[in-house]
Amino acid sequence: MIQQKKRGDATRDVLNFTFRHWRREPRFVVLIVVTMMASTLADVFMPVFAGRLVDAISLGGSDRDAALANAVTAFMAMTGLGLVMVVMRHLAFYGIVELTLRVMSRVAQDAFARVQRFSTDWHANSFAGSTVRKITRGMWALDLLHDTILLALLPSLVVLIGSMVVLGLHWPIMGIVIAIGTVGYITMTALLSTLYVAPAARLANAWDTKVGGTLADALSCNAVVKAFGAETREDTRLTRVLAKWQNRTQRIWKRGTNSGTMQLVALLLIRAAIIGTALWLWWQGQASAGDLAYVITTYFVIHGYLRDVGMHINNLRRSVNDMEELVAIHAEPIGIDDRPSAPAIRIARGVIAFDHVLFHYAGHETPLYRDLSLTIAAGERVGLVGPSGSGKTTLVKLIQRLYDVSGGRILIDGQDIAAVQQASLRAQIAIVQQEPILFHRTLAENIAYARPGASMAEIERAARLANAHDFIMHLPKAYGTLVGERGVKLSGGERQRVAIARAFLADAPILILDEATSALDSESEMLIQQAMERLMEGRTSIVIAHRLSTVRALDRILVFDKGRIVEEGTHISLYQRRGLYRRLCDHQGLDFGRAERQEQAAE
């Protein structure tokens, strides 16, 4: 019962989602419905005039002129109905093209916008390849759903109901036979589709998504695969996933075949009942030869639509299954959302204050921060050091509002960051990450990402300040060089300098540096250190320090341990204190004692 309810909920959610988008395009929906109904009614009345044509020919007798006139009238009516059907279908198909493309574009754009705004945790727990697959598969399922409902099921229902009414008014017994056969067939097909085929389709789709995720995971990490000679291992991993996918897909295809065979058997029974009833009516003298032609012609129309109804219901089920994950993306709550009518933040000085902040990650019972209070002055350069997991990175993520605090407030220039627009907040915080990520675009585009309207002169100036201009000019296309996915065509030091150039161009009052010189050669480290020092001038700067030699010149160092600031001060004062900071320095094999004595002697 629970599974059936879930399936019903999924179908209802998908249809409600679709109808919401239809309401935004009412003129196209009305055009399609009206033209398809007109076209279909032409199909319904075609057998009527076919019967009259047969009667005119068979009952003409001696009055051939009158018979010819009746036959020509029936022929002209059939021709006119055919013309109406062609014109109306043409208009309907034009309408469905416009409607479908508009809705598909909007749905994809909305899904992309929503995914972009999901929380950092959501992205950390989701395969990018799987997410792309969910969106693209759902887009094309929407195309099938539109065709199925508007171009297939709607005309099918019009034909079936219309034929039932027209035949039933002339021969009630025939109307009853068609009604029973039609309702029974549609009910059987719907039950087979939803209760027999759909569960298997849902599992097949889940494994289809896993195939996309597995491919994307291996291809995006190809450098690591090559580094460990693991191509065969990844081949084996994909083979295992494909084996599961093949098994689930084979089951859905076999169930689809079984369902189709049962539908054909049901159609044979309906045909026998309708033609048998028509012969009985003729034998009873209640039907002429033309009536028989009318009934048989009508049956073939009904048969075609009934046969297609089974396919349409299967297509409806398939499109609903394929759209479920896309609709779920739209239903997924955005982790951190702006408050209604939130204003843009205005940062002039860049004073950052943590006011009795309480924070814990979702699923963690113990808070990371408990009553954390901290003030970073305008223009102050602050280093964050401490063991892994001590809370350094979380602090800068909270400043960017990648997470919301559980209690207390974070203020920038006296403004609560939870009450302002996130985009305006992040636009005024420049960040250089430990592993900078570049887009597969030109170097100029990557640098200008911080300020899309920047001129080429401004881009070059930022690159010069970041010590990146020289290496860029040695590339084949200079600033027009494509950097590859995530910047793989550049070395680590080159990527860092491009990221620093991007931060220079942003010219933000607050700067966050996730120090990334530990894995670089000495020349790259020196160039990046120089660029970082220039970048910090006049800005409130927070440096997450992994190599403690990089924090000596900062104004203040905060030492974190288990979510608490256990020490703070300048490098010299902390080193003399012989606490956690001194131990961290000693663990890195850094002898600051000599430097300390030299500095004291100079004073």
Side-chain angles (χ1 to χ4, degrees):
M1 291 296 291
I2 293 175
Q3 290 180 340
Q4 291 177 10
K5 182 178 184 299
K6 286 183 178 178
R7 285 195 289 271
D9 288 346
T11 302
R12 184 174 63 251
D13 290 344
V14 169
L15 293 179
N16 286 339
F17 175 83
T18 304
F19 296 153
R20 281 200 305 272
H21 284 277
W22 284 7
R23 285 195 290 271
R24 298 174 65 175
E25 305 288 348
R27 55 183 178 143
F28 290 110
V29 175
V30 170
L31 171 67
I32 296 164
V33 170
V34 170
T35 52
M36 282 306 298
M37 289 186 71
S39 171
T40 307
L41 287 173
D43 258 354
V44 171
F45 287 102
M46 188 74 75
V48 174
F49 292 100
R52 292 180 182 177
L53 179 62
V54 172
D55 273 341
I57 294 172
S58 62
L59 300 176
S62 58
D63 193 354
R64 292 178 62 80
D65 290 337
L68 178 61
N70 290 336
V72 169
T73 300
F75 171 72
M76 294 300 293
M78 292 172 69
T79 304
L81 287 172
L83 183 61
V84 168
M85 181 184 68
V86 170
V87 172
M88 292 296 103
R89 282 179 67 84
H90 182 77
L91 292 174
F93 273 75
Y94 261 77
I96 200 77
V97 166
E98 190 68 27
L99 173 68
T100 301
L101 289 177
R102 283 170 176 257
V103 175
M104 285 175 69
S105 298
R106 186 187 306 124
V107 164
Q109 190 168 2
D110 290 350
F112 177 73
R114 196 166 187 85
V115 168
Q116 290 281 86
R117 288 157 180 78
F118 281 160
S119 69
T120 302
D121 282 346
W122 189 93
H123 284 279
N125 293 319
S126 302
F127 276 124
S130 296
T131 303
V132 170
R133 186 75 181 112
K134 291 174 184 178
I135 294 173
T136 55
R137 185 172 61 216
M139 281 175 59
W140 289 108
L142 189 60
D143 175 40
L144 178 62
L145 186 70
H146 280 189
D147 289 351
T148 300
I149 294 176
L150 295 174
L151 301 184
L153 284 177
L154 173 64
S156 295
L157 292 176
V158 171
V159 164
L160 295 173
I161 294 172
S163 299
M164 193 186 311
V165 170
V166 172
L167 283 171
L169 290 174
H170 196 54
W171 302 292
I173 185 65
M174 185 64 76
I176 292 172
V177 169
I178 293 175
I180 293 173
T182 299
V183 172
Y185 178 83
I186 293 175
T187 301
M188 181 198 75
T189 302
L191 290 175
L192 283 172
S193 181
T194 55
L195 301 182
Y196 179 61
V197 181
R202 189 170 287 109
L203 279 175
N205 280 345
W207 279 98
D208 179 75
T209 299
K210 289 181 181 179
V211 168
T214 302
L215 286 168
D217 190 38
L219 293 176
S220 63
C221 298
N222 183 257
V224 179
V225 174
K226 278 185 167 53
F228 289 90
E231 289 89 346
T232 303
R233 194 191 319 161
E234 291 301 319
D235 291 344
T236 303
R237 185 167 180 264
L238 179 61
T239 298
R240 287 198 300 268
V241 175
L242 284 173
K244 285 282 190 179
W245 167 83
Q246 181 179 341
N247 179 269
R248 297 294 185 265
T249 304
Q250 183 182 63
R251 186 170 69 155
I252 174 64
W253 286 358
K254 285 184 176 180
R255 288 193 177 191
T257 300
N258 295 339
S259 175
T261 301
M262 294 177 70
Q263 291 167 28
L264 287 175
V265 171
L267 285 173
L268 287 175
L269 295 175
I270 293 171
R271 180 173 69 183
I274 291 176
I275 295 178
T277 302
L279 287 173
W280 180 80
L281 289 170
W282 171 76
W283 180 254
Q284 295 295 319
Q286 299 179 36
S288 64
D291 290 335
L292 279 178
Y294 163 45
V295 170
I296 292 173
T297 306
T298 300
Y299 164 71
F300 282 117
V301 173
I302 293 173
H303 176 89
Y305 277 95
L306 270 181
R307 180 193 59 214
D308 290 345
V309 161
M311 180 181 69
H312 300 330
I313 290 177
N314 286 333
N315 284 341
L316 180 64
R317 182 267 314 154
R318 189 175 72 190
S319 58
V320 166
N321 287 150
D322 287 351
M323 284 183 65
E324 282 179 13
E325 292 176 318
L326 174 64
V327 173
I329 286 176
H330 283 80
E332 182 89 19
I334 294 177
I336 300 173
D337 209 355
D338 288 336
R339 295 179 184 177
S341 303
I345 193 170
R346 297 179 181 276
I347 302 177
R349 301 176 62 230
V351 178
I352 302 171
F354 280 64
D355 181 19
H356 300 286
V357 167
L358 172 70
F359 175 75
H360 60 80
Y361 285 102
H364 291 214
E365 293 183 3
T366 304
L368 176 62
Y369 297 145
R370 194 191 301 273
D371 196 30
L372 175 66
S373 292
L374 166 69
T375 299
I376 299 175
E380 187 179 14
R381 300 174 305 163
V382 176
L384 309 182
V385 303
S388 296
S390 59
K392 307 184 299 296
T393 301
T394 301
L395 188 85
V396 299
K397 286 183 177 179
L398 290 178
I399 293 172
Q400 297 172 81
R401 206 188 162 203
L402 297 178
Y403 298 99
D404 270 332
V405 297
S406 309
R409 298 181 303 165
I410 299 175
L411 309 172
I412 297 181
D413 284 354
Q415 303 161 84
D416 187 347
I417 65 170
V420 300
Q421 296 172 8
Q422 296 174 67
S424 69
L425 168 68
R426 293 169 192 158
Q428 297 184 69
I429 300 175
I431 181 166
V432 179
Q433 296 164 318
Q434 182 178 4
E435 295 182 5
I437 298 172
L438 305 183
F439 294 95
H440 184 32
R441 302 172 191 175
T442 66
L443 279 162
E445 288 175 307
N446 272 289
I447 294 172
Y449 200 78
R451 186 150 54 91
S455 66
M456 197 62 214
E458 291 172 319
I459 292 171
E460 289 188 16
R461 178 179 177 276
R464 290 180 189 277
L465 289 170
N467 290 334
H469 178 76
D470 290 343
F471 91 78
I472 290 175
M473 294 308 295
H474 282 91
L475 296 173
K477 294 184 180 180
Y479 285 88
T481 302
L482 291 170
V483 301
E485 187 176 4
R486 300 172 71 89
V488 295
K489 291 184 179 181
L490 304 179
S491 69
E494 289 168 343
R495 286 198 299 272
Q496 272 292 5
R497 280 177 274 171
V498 171
I500 292 172
R502 192 159 56 190
F504 267 115
L505 193 60
D507 196 22
I510 296 175
L511 173 66
I512 294 172
L513 296 172
D514 193 348
E515 186 256 306
T517 59
S518 57
L520 302 177
D521 60 87
S522 57
E523 183 179 356
S524 294
E525 180 180 358
M526 178 190 68
L527 291 171
I528 289 172
Q529 286 284 11
Q530 292 172 354
M532 288 168 61
E533 288 170 9
R534 284 196 291 267
L535 185 58
M536 284 190 283
E537 290 177 8
R539 295 181 173 87
T540 303
S541 303
I542 301 173
V543 180
I544 300 176
H546 304 285
R547 292 182 63 175
L548 300 183
S549 58
T550 63
V551 300
R552 296 181 60 207
L554 298 181
D555 301 322
R556 182 162 50 130
I557 299 170
L558 304 178
V559 184
F560 281 80
D561 187 29
K562 298 178 182 178
R564 296 182 302 113
I565 300 174
V566 293
E567 298 175 16
E568 66 175 297
T570 63
H571 161 71
I572 293 177
S573 66
L574 290 175
Y575 194 77
Q576 291 175 338
R577 191 178 300 176
R578 299 182 180 274
L580 177 57
Y581 180 77
R582 175 69 174 261
R583 290 200 302 274
L584 292 172
C585 291
D586 292 343
H587 287 161
Q588 292 188 11
L590 301 175
D591 181 10
F592 289 127
R594 192 168 110 187
E596 217 180 298
R597 290 190 295 273
Q598 289 174 344
E599 289 177 7
Q600 289 174 344
E603 291 175 359

